[in-house]
Amino acid sequence: MAQPRRTGDDRPGSVAPHPSLPVLPGVEKPRRFRARFHYELIACGLAGHELVGMDAATVRPSDAVVVREGAGVRWYRCLRCDSWIPLEPPSAPAREYPPDPGQIELPLRGRPLRDKFVLRLIAIDRAFHFVVLGLLSLAVVEVAAHRTTLRSLYEAVLSVLQGSLGGPTGSGPDQGLFGELNKVFSYSNSRLYLTAGVLGAYALVEAAEMVGLWLLQRWAEYLTLIVTSSLLPLEIYEIAQSVSIVKVVAFVVNIAVVAYLLWAKRLFGVRGGARAEREARAEDLGWDALVRATPPVDDEAAPARVTRGQLS
């Protein structure tokens, strides 16, 4: 019987597998370590591995891209993260052979999967903006519609707070939160309704960004880039007036969003534009990309028998 080959190279420090275990497909130790963030592992950790052919009675040599069999054990390849999972053949198969390539719906992997994660994180950020802006718009409308009642309530609460702290009553402070509220009550109703309309319109724009980005739409990427970039000068001005952790964090997040959309998504012709984006996605999607990442078949490496205990 042929001896199983070593995984990895023969340099000092290279670890050989147990001699009674088969060589798993795709576990050869790389000659050079390259750190990489694997979105595929996150997706599989959340949704589980994408395996096919688990209900097939027979595995053909042509199925080696997705499933292989040797020594009574089948190795199922995750179509997303390329992990090979050892399982016993099904006791009650539902089909004769694993599905053909045309019958397999491949999951996202590589750059397209990365873009899905990042764009949906941005969509969640836009959802937060939508909620905050929507609530602010409604609050301004309420102030304009019930100005007299709310102002009386505000002045009564302020008087109680100032009196309990030993301060003067009957007049509001000019700075801080109460100073801003004083300004709001001093505005005319027309100005308040205009402010509410602007906030509501901005909230709707954020909602459009949120939905479009969640659905991975190209137009939403352009809309997000334009809106976010247009607000950067205002954010710089606000930070120059008064620095706060919230303002700085929001500014950094928006800078990162703009940089990602321009560089990684190649908007407005950057790095080759939409055509280069489609070509880059094609490298990681489709059956041809899966075949290119498939390890070679090595039938001689499998031992004659593998027990359940050895698999664990």
Side-chain angles (χ1 to χ4, degrees), residues 231-244:
L231 294 177
L232 290 179
L234 179 60
E235 293 184 0
I236 294 174
Y237 173 78
E238 289 291 334
I239 293 175
Q241 294 297 311
S242 61
V243 179
S244 69

Side-chain angles (χ1 to χ4, degrees), residues 223-291:
L223 178 61
T224 302
L225 177 62
I226 294 172
V227 173
T228 306
S229 301
S230 65
L231 294 177
L232 290 179
L234 179 60
E235 293 184 0
I236 294 174
Y237 173 78
E238 289 291 334
I239 293 175
Q241 294 297 311
S242 61
V243 179
S244 69
I245 296 297
V246 175
K247 291 180 181 179
V248 172
V249 171
F251 179 71
V252 171
V253 169
N254 286 335
I255 285 289
V257 169
V258 170
Y260 168 79
L261 292 175
L262 274 178
W263 184 257
K265 298 301 295 178
R266 308 169 192 260
L267 300 186
F268 292 106
V270 175
R271 299 177 60 216
R275 180 178 179 180
E277 168 72 4
R278 290 192 297 268
E279 293 175 351
R281 290 175 61 89
E283 293 179 4
D284 296 323
L285 291 179
W287 189 259
D288 291 340
L290 194 70
V291 172

Side-chain angles (χ1 to χ4, degrees), residues 26-69:
V27 298
E28 289 80 4
K29 182 179 178 181
R31 294 186 177 276
R32 184 179 63 176
F33 175 76
R34 297 179 62 184
R36 182 185 174 189
F37 193 84
H38 291 275
Y39 290 91
E40 293 85 355
L41 297 181
I42 298 177
C44 287
L46 294 174
H49 291 299
E50 291 281 348
L51 309 178
V52 297
M54 299 181 64
D55 57 349
T58 305
V59 173
R60 301 161 297 184
S62 59
D63 300 319
V65 174
V66 295
V67 56
R68 300 178 185 180
E69 188 172 29

Side-chain angles (χ1 to χ4, degrees), residues 205-226:
V205 171
E206 294 292 278
E209 294 180 38
M210 172 191 67
V211 174
L213 291 174
W214 190 266
L215 298 178
L216 311 179
Q217 297 298 307
R218 185 77 169 174
W219 61 263
E221 298 172 6
Y222 278 99
L223 178 61
T224 302
L225 177 62
I226 294 172

Side-chain angles (χ1 to χ4, degrees), residues 98-121:
D100 294 327
Q103 300 173 314
I104 299 175
E105 182 178 355
L106 296 177
L108 291 179
R109 48 187 283 153
R111 280 177 287 252
L113 182 60
R114 176 206 64 186
D115 292 340
K116 179 180 180 180
F117 270 98
V118 177
L119 292 177
R120 288 195 168 178
L121 283 176

